[in-house]
Amino acid sequence: MTRSGHPKQGPLADALAQLAATVEHLGYDEGMHQMLATARREMQVSVPLRRDDDSVVVYSGYRVQHNFSRGPAKGGLRFASNVDLDEIRALAMWMTWKCALVDVPYGGAKGGVAIEPRDHSNRELERVTRRYTSEISPIIGPEVDIPAPDIGTNEQTMAWMMDTYSALVGHTVQGVVTGKPVGLGGSRGRATATSRGAAHIAMLAMAAHGMQPEKSTAAVQGFGKVGRDAARFLSQSGVTVRAVSDVDGAVYSAAGLDIIHLGAHVDRTGSVAGFEGAEALDPADLITLDVDVLVPAAVEGVVTADNAANVRARIVIEGANGPTTKEADAILMERDVVVVPDILANAGGVIVSYFEWVQAHQAYQWSEREVNDRLEERLTAAWHDVIQYASAHGLTYRAAATAIAVRRVTEAHRQRGLYP
């Protein structure tokens, strides 16, 4: 830790460094800097679990609410063995900027439980989810903080959360979470919204840099909640997807992977590894493949100082949160590699989460076409905001996006005033 108590490296260090550079660019004073850097509320909870064999283990759970200036907090819940408080703090901060950038009336939040989902039965995951929900229930709610799925969680997790919270308050509250099954008030188009948004932003970025989809290639790191459908949407747009990876392996085909058949293989086997018609690839090598577009869509910190100099893609689309470290960012900038930041590239999920929340308040469901059209409209507007600001101020897309978002949060804070 540094003397200020900030970590020397990791996602939180990167998030704080991005904010510090933005504060300097905007000319804010130290008081405003500290207000923007400090989470409004943090909760760490014990999550005991009685396993199926009747043994008991205890996991740590977290919920961080970074900012409320523009509205209730919003952010995902992840189940992963390496979850810790600093990671959740960073992700919550990025959520604040993401919501502001795409102009949805939320602040940022994030939650997590330090558990490996693949080591647990579905019944055990239900018990963990319900216990975690009950522990954080005093600080969540449809007008307070609205969780959504993230790594290791899904629409079933959200259904359990909604049911647990509803049981605690004595009536059904569909708006307490988003990313639910459609039959329980979920939005059509929500499951693929982050992926669709990343692919849409990729098309806009390619067009802005003179690249045609039919003549372009891509590699997608991650074949889960975001990467799988991002690869499919890119392929459907004409891009040749040469490689994908997951936690168990990676596959490559110079002629392009058949993403639909690869998806069927993953459904059967649980991994991209062993897919017929493709070569096995070292997952670490995917980052430096000779492709036009790289989509890191798994976890944070995968493009680093160790591999950034060897990245051959012209454009990096950050499907994951924080996949590029601060040091790697500087290297890519020096090499004129275009990085479309996470707070823009993967904002499709929070946009459609907002649509789901609105639909819950209206007790009315939009068509999938309405959802997708409104999603692309918001992302396109945010894209143009970013490229115009970047051009006007001589900034990278990340710096421009963060500046726009931080300025909007600050304006909301100043208009509300400081209480008391």
Side-chain angles (χ1 to χ4, degrees):
M1 301 289 282
T2 64
R3 288 183 181 180
S4 64
H6 294 155
K8 293 180 180 179
Q9 58 185 0
L12 183 58
D14 290 343
L16 290 169
Q18 291 165 14
L19 175 61
T22 302
V23 166
E24 182 177 359
H25 164 72
L26 295 172
Y28 294 159
D29 61 28
E30 184 58 23
M32 183 59 70
H33 184 187
Q34 289 303 311
M35 190 280 295
L36 294 166
T38 306
R40 290 287 299 274
R41 183 183 294 151
E42 299 180 346
M43 177 178 277
Q44 180 171 345
V45 298
S46 170
V47 186
L49 166 67
R50 186 178 299 279
R51 302 203 64 173
D52 293 339
D53 64 5
D54 228 25
S55 64
V56 174
V57 291
V58 180
Y59 297 110
S60 294
Y62 311 93
R63 190 71 184 173
V64 174
Q65 297 164 345
H66 174 255
N67 192 277
F68 304 114
S69 294
R70 288 173 48 86
K74 186 80 184 78
L77 166 65
R78 63 175 50 182
F79 286 176
S81 58
N82 61 348
V83 163
D84 62 30
L85 185 55
D86 275 355
E87 177 187 55
I88 299 301
R89 286 168 170 157
L91 294 166
M93 184 182 297
W94 282 325
M95 276 300 302
T96 297
W97 314 145
K98 187 183 303 183
C99 292
L101 179 64
V102 296
D103 200 22
V104 298
Y106 290 140
K110 204 74 175 183
V113 178
I115 183 174
E116 176 49 65
R118 297 198 300 179
D119 294 342
H120 293 77
S121 70
N122 205 48
R123 292 174 60 191
E124 289 174 344
L125 292 175
E126 178 178 358
R127 291 197 287 272
V128 164
T129 301
R130 290 184 181 277
R131 182 57 183 254
Y132 170 79
T133 304
S134 69
E135 293 290 343
I136 68 164
S137 62
I139 65 167
I140 64 172
E143 310 296 338
V144 182
D145 179 2
I146 308 105
D150 195 76
I151 293 171
T153 59
N154 54 30
E155 64 178 23
Q156 178 60 75
T157 314
M158 295 302 106
W160 291 330
M161 289 194 79
M162 185 200 78
D163 181 70
T164 304
Y165 182 86
S166 297
L168 290 170
V169 300
H171 59 92
T172 298
V173 185
Q174 290 187 335
V176 68
V177 296
T178 58
K180 304 178 296 296
V182 172
L184 292 178
S187 176
R188 294 182 175 92
R190 173 61 183 86
T192 60
T194 307
S195 310
R196 183 181 295 277
H200 180 66
I201 289 293
M203 293 299 107
L204 292 173
M206 291 166 68
H209 293 273
M211 299 164 61
Q212 299 177 17
E214 297 80 7
K215 297 180 180 180
S216 301
T217 58
V220 180
Q221 191 221 22
F223 202 68
K225 193 176 276 88
V226 178
R228 177 169 175 163
D229 285 312
R232 176 169 65 89
F233 289 133
L234 287 171
S235 180
Q236 289 173 350
S237 297
V239 177
T240 300
V241 180
R242 285 184 169 173
V244 300
S245 65
D246 61 18
V247 294
D248 296 313
V251 290
Y252 170 84
S253 171
L257 297 165
D258 185 323
I259 301 302
I260 300 301
H261 286 164
L262 177 58
H265 169 81
V266 171
D267 289 340
R268 289 194 308 271
T269 68
S271 172
V272 301
F275 178 57
E276 294 182 3
E279 306 171 27
L281 178 73
D282 185 331
D285 292 339
L286 181 141
I287 300 296
T288 57
L289 278 180
D290 185 10
V291 292
D292 299 304
V293 179
L294 172 64
V295 185
V299 295
E300 57 268 14
V302 297
V303 183
T304 68
D306 294 330
N307 59 21
N310 297 317
V311 169
R312 288 186 276 179
R314 291 175 58 191
I315 298 176
V316 176
I317 304 291
E318 294 190 331
N321 292 312
T324 308
T325 67
K326 178 182 67 173
E327 295 79 11
D329 232 5
I331 295 169
L332 295 176
M333 181 177 66
E334 290 175 1
R335 299 181 57 233
D336 293 325
V337 176
V338 175
V339 179
V340 182
D342 45 8
I343 63 172
L344 175 59
N346 68 33
V350 75
I351 291 172
V352 178
S353 279
Y354 169 57
F355 294 164
E356 181 177 329
W357 183 75
V358 170
Q359 291 170 77
H361 280 67
Q362 293 176 335
Y364 180 79
Q365 199 163 58
W366 302 349
S367 70
E368 186 166 354
R369 181 174 180 177
E370 285 180 287
V371 170
N372 291 339
D373 286 349
R374 294 181 189 201
L375 167 63
E376 293 189 0
E377 179 183 350
R378 279 187 180 255
L379 283 174
T380 301
W383 165 258
H384 288 299
D385 286 345
V386 169
I387 62 173
Q388 289 168 11
Y389 195 98
S391 177
H393 297 273
L395 298 174
T396 65
Y397 289 164
R398 186 188 312 284
T402 308
I404 292 168
V406 170
R407 186 179 61 187
R408 287 176 178 172
V409 173
T410 303
E411 288 173 353
H413 172 73
R414 285 174 170 166
Q415 288 166 349
R416 292 178 61 154
L418 184 63
Y419 176 82

